[in-house]
Amino acid sequence: MSAADTTTPAKVPPPRQAPPPPAAPRKPGRARTSKDTAVPWALLAPCLLILALVLGYPLVRLVTLSFQKFGQSQLWGFQPPESVGFDNFSLVLGDGEFWAVVVRTIVFAGGSVVFTMVVGMLIALLLQRVSGWVKTLVNIVLVASWGMPIIVATTVFKWLFDSDYGVFNALLSKLPGVDLIGHNWFASGSQGLAVIMLLVVWGAVPFVVITLSAGLTQVPAELEEAARLDGAGAWGVFRYVTLPILKPILVMLTTLSVIWDMGVFPQVFVMRGGHPEAEFQLLTTYSYDKAFVVNDYGQGSAIALLTVLLLLGVVAVYMRQMLKIGEVE
């Protein structure tokens, strides 16, 4: 037997097979069933029903009245309402006084929003640099002023700016060269609206300050410190670090402020004793006068509906900005 016969033949290993592809990871959770979808709607149903009753019916009635001739005769049932199509809107949109009121309302709301946001931001930034007890005291004052009823606050401001007994005139008259004793701030529409704007800002600032203070707590201190190390000053840190983080909150607050300030009514109504003069008319008071003073409920409803459409435009801009912010994040 030769050596070749006694040698064990070598075993050739089988070819390697490619490993099977990993299975796609299964998403946690289970498939949503119709029952899971129905539960949230069932929980929301009472709230949606209340909203439909409280907001839906008045809105439908407002739209209906805006296309009708509806005065005292129709109100008391002597005559049935008469459909007039778009005549009410044609009369309103063709009236120069209406457009003057629109411009006055936009200027008033814009000024109120700008002053509210600027003052609110300054106070919120200031609260980040004071001691704890001072911050607590300021927050108590803000909440107290925010909780004051509008009628009470308007009455207080009406007394503060009174021409005969107003504290504001007396304080300003103590300045050198200033004599405002007996000055009537409401003799001029611009000065009177400036006082009402100050009242609106005073009532809106607490909400803005509290909201921005909560937002400032979410600004990372590390980012601010890194910006300072890179040579940024106080304005640079605020512009490039604080402001971008607060942008969603600022967009929300600005939109809410525009909606609230466009709908200002009791401040003007009470400040002018229930009869605002022509130079004090805003869209809300103008609609009220057309409906309940002139007794033309059709035109009053048309003005109110146009105001709603204008505010819906503001809401659309808000939603677009929020969607852009969501895409960036």
Side-chain angles (χ1 to χ4, degrees), residues 100-113 193 197 262 282:
V101 172
V102 170
V103 173
R104 187 181 303 118
T105 304
I106 293 175
V107 172
F108 177 86
S112 300
V113 171
L193 286 176
M197 184 185 298
M262 288 282 290
L282 302 178

Side-chain angles (χ1 to χ4, degrees), residues 202-249:
W202 180 84
V205 160
F207 175 72
V208 174
V209 172
I210 294 173
T211 306
L212 289 178
S213 297
L216 287 172
T217 61
Q218 304 303 314
V219 178
E222 298 81 4
L223 293 180
E224 295 181 341
E225 185 64 25
R228 294 190 185 95
L229 292 176
D230 289 339
W235 170 249
V237 173
F238 174 77
R239 180 180 178 183
Y240 296 107
V241 177
T242 307
L243 205 56
I245 296 177
L246 292 180
K247 185 178 179 180
I249 298 177

Side-chain angles (χ1 to χ4, degrees), residues 253-271:
L253 289 175
T254 302
T255 306
L256 290 177
S257 298
V258 170
I259 294 174
W260 291 337
D261 295 344
M262 288 282 290
V264 165
F265 178 83
Q267 293 90 333
V268 181
F269 191 80
V270 175
M271 194 73 78

Side-chain angles (χ1 to χ4, degrees), residues 100-310:
V101 172
V102 170
V103 173
R104 187 181 303 118
T105 304
I106 293 175
V107 172
F108 177 86
S112 300
V113 171
V114 170
F115 282 114
T116 299
M117 298 304 297
V118 171
V119 174
M121 178 62 76
L122 291 176
I123 296 177
L125 291 173
L126 181 63
L127 289 178
Q128 302 299 312
R129 292 163 174 79
V130 297
S131 58
W133 71 270
V134 175
K135 184 184 298 185
T136 302
L137 180 62
V138 173
N139 285 328
I140 292 174
V141 173
L142 289 173
V143 172
S145 62
W146 189 21
M148 181 178 293
I150 295 177
I151 303 301
V152 176
T154 305
T155 305
V156 171
F157 266 74
K158 190 174 181 180
W159 169 72
L160 288 174
F161 289 89
D162 186 76
S163 57
D164 297 323
Y165 307 102
V167 176
F168 194 76
N169 287 351
L171 291 176
L172 288 182
S173 298
K174 294 183 179 297
L175 299 175
V178 178
D179 184 13
L180 290 177
I181 298 299
H183 177 72
N184 186 2
W185 291 91
F186 298 97
S188 163
S190 57
Q191 293 185 9
L193 286 176
V195 174
I196 298 174
M197 184 185 298
L198 183 62
L199 169 61
V200 172
V201 172
W202 180 84
V205 160
F207 175 72
V208 174
V209 172
I210 294 173
T211 306
L212 289 178
S213 297
L216 287 172
T217 61
Q218 304 303 314
V219 178
E222 298 81 4
L223 293 180
E224 295 181 341
E225 185 64 25
R228 294 190 185 95
L229 292 176
D230 289 339
W235 170 249
V237 173
F238 174 77
R239 180 180 178 183
Y240 296 107
V241 177
T242 307
L243 205 56
I245 296 177
L246 292 180
K247 185 178 179 180
I249 298 177
L250 291 174
V251 172
M252 179 197 68
L253 289 175
T254 302
T255 306
L256 290 177
S257 298
V258 170
I259 294 174
W260 291 337
D261 295 344
M262 288 282 290
V264 165
F265 178 83
Q267 293 90 333
V268 181
F269 191 80
V270 175
M271 194 73 78
R272 301 313 303 142
H275 302 284
E277 297 84 348
E279 59 268 23
F280 288 91
Q281 291 285 0
L282 302 178
L283 279 173
T284 50
T285 58
Y286 187 63
S287 173
Y288 175 87
D289 279 359
K290 282 290 185 181
F292 298 101
V293 177
V294 185
N295 293 318
D296 191 342
Y297 301 98
Q299 284 197 33
S301 300
I303 297 171
L305 186 58
L306 291 172
T307 305
V308 171
L309 294 177
L310 185 61

